Amino acid sequence: MIRYVLRRLLQLIPVFFGTTFLIYVLVWAVPGDPFSGKCGQTACPQAYVDLMTEKFHLNDNLILQYLKYLGSLFTGDWGETFNGTSVGELIATSYPITLRLALVAVLIEAVIGLTAGVLTGLRGKGFLDNLVLVSTTFLISLPVFVTAIVLQLVLGTELGIIDTSVSDNPGFGELIVPGIALGSLSMAYVARLTRTSIAENRHADYIRTAIAKGQPNSRVVGVHLLRNSVIPVLTFLGTDLGALMGGAIVTEGVFNINGLGGLIFRGIQNRESATVVGVVVLLVLVYLLMSLIVDLLYAVLDPRIRYD
């Protein structure tokens, strides 16, 4: 198991450098004046341009710029915006809110999606299976922003059950409805993935063997069937947490949530390259961490994987 963990850690290193270099080049190599609009309606003074050019190493080639950025990043310095605000402080303020929203979304999609998938997978075709099939198709066909706006209008504007905008530092309770909107698409996929996996595995040889040995139905389902059927679902849920954090821009915009989505949106809009690179690098780290955790869980659930 230790060799498997070390091998997976070593595999993450080139992925980290490759993705962060690509992000850095794509953001900083955008054509145009990086200081356009930074001094109001007038052009920035040459002294300011020279100072910023020196500060962000814009006279160096992109590879050297990237290496200097990484050097600062490894010391905990995420850089500064053009007006001198620390990107690390901006991320520290926004990150917990987006993380709470993503956790609420993952929890909702895991509980509802897994429950619906297990029930329909065990019972087979019938009313419940058709109901889940229709409802998941409906959710998959709806873009996330449509789901978010409909929930906001119905539950907030029409029924008054929730506030149409959340507070500046929302708790888990305020994020339930935005979490439903954000996780609705993945919830439908989890339900279908679980249903298919359960339906395939319940007729497998090891399940028939367990039944023939006289094991109770609860053990056959809870230990043998679910343990093997949940592996692809865990993979999906693990990587989806990173995707939800990066894809929360629309949901945060609809419910006026001050998270990473709003931060990166404003960064793109104002061409704050340091902010965009900092947030995206953080999301890359989250992806890699979740990928590692999923792979380790995978190896625990199916020991054959660690020996491949």
Side-chain angles (χ1 to χ4, degrees), residues 38-307:
K38 297 296 184 298
C39 301
Q41 299 297 323
T42 60
C44 289
Q46 188 58 42
Y48 173 82
V49 174
D50 293 340
L51 179 65
M52 290 296 108
T53 301
E54 177 68 21
K55 182 177 180 180
F56 290 96
H57 313 294
L58 299 183
N59 285 326
D60 299 326
N61 60 62
L62 277 172
I63 295 178
L64 190 56
Q65 288 181 41
Y66 169 71
L67 292 177
K68 289 181 177 179
Y69 176 76
L70 274 189
S72 301
L73 192 65
F74 287 147
T75 61
D77 181 9
W78 290 77
E80 292 182 349
T81 62
F82 286 117
N83 62 10
T85 305
S86 169
V87 174
E89 291 180 5
L90 292 175
I91 291 176
T93 304
S94 306
Y95 178 74
I97 300 173
T98 299
L99 181 61
R100 283 199 291 271
L101 176 61
L103 287 175
V104 169
V106 166
L107 186 63
I108 289 172
E109 70 181 61
V111 172
I112 299 178
L114 277 172
T115 303
V118 169
L119 291 177
T120 53
L122 290 175
R123 293 188 178 184
K125 293 183 179 179
F127 172 76
L128 182 62
D129 188 49
N130 290 327
L131 178 64
V132 170
L133 181 63
V134 171
S135 58
T136 53
T137 304
F138 183 73
L139 288 176
I140 291 171
S141 63
L142 280 179
V144 171
F145 73 90
V146 173
T147 308
I149 292 174
V150 168
L151 289 174
Q152 185 188 46
L153 287 176
V154 174
L155 299 180
T157 306
E158 298 297 328
L159 300 179
I161 299 174
I162 62 167
D163 293 327
T164 53
S165 298
V166 303
S167 61
D168 292 337
N169 189 20
F172 283 100
E174 286 184 89
L175 295 174
I176 289 177
V177 174
I180 293 174
L182 181 61
S184 58
L185 182 62
S186 297
M187 182 170 62
Y189 285 125
V190 168
R192 290 194 168 195
L193 189 60
T194 307
R195 177 195 175 282
T196 303
S197 187
I198 291 277
E200 288 179 353
N201 288 329
R202 68 175 182 163
H203 299 298
D205 292 340
Y206 66 91
I207 294 296
R208 286 199 293 267
T209 302
I211 295 173
K213 290 169 68 177
Q215 295 190 359
N217 190 53
S218 59
R219 181 172 177 79
V220 172
V221 174
V223 176
H224 299 288
L225 182 57
L226 280 183
R227 178 172 177 172
N228 289 281
S229 301
V230 82
I231 291 177
V233 183
L234 277 180
T235 306
F236 180 83
L237 286 174
T239 52
D240 197 44
L241 179 60
L244 289 176
M245 292 190 65
I249 297 176
V250 174
T251 306
E252 290 187 357
V254 171
F255 290 96
N256 197 26
I257 300 172
N258 295 318
L260 287 181
L263 184 61
I264 197 170
F265 178 77
R266 291 190 296 275
I268 294 171
Q269 198 173 32
N270 299 325
R271 295 197 63 182
E272 288 286 358
S273 303
T275 304
V276 176
V277 173
V279 174
V280 178
V281 167
L282 175 67
L283 294 177
V284 168
L285 290 172
V286 172
Y287 267 112
L288 295 179
L289 177 63
M290 293 310 302
S291 174
L292 177 64
I293 293 174
V294 167
D295 286 344
L296 296 182
L297 283 174
Y298 214 99
V300 171
L301 290 171
D302 189 349
R304 294 172 300 176
I305 293 172
R306 72 186 77 154
Y307 298 115

Side-chain angles (χ1 to χ4, degrees), residues 8-35:
R8 289 293 296 115
L9 285 173
L10 290 175
Q11 289 171 350
L12 295 183
I13 293 175
V15 176
F16 171 78
F17 286 109
T19 51
T20 53
F21 177 71
L22 187 62
I23 292 162
Y24 191 90
V25 170
L26 287 176
V27 172
W28 282 101
V30 173
D33 181 9
F35 308 109

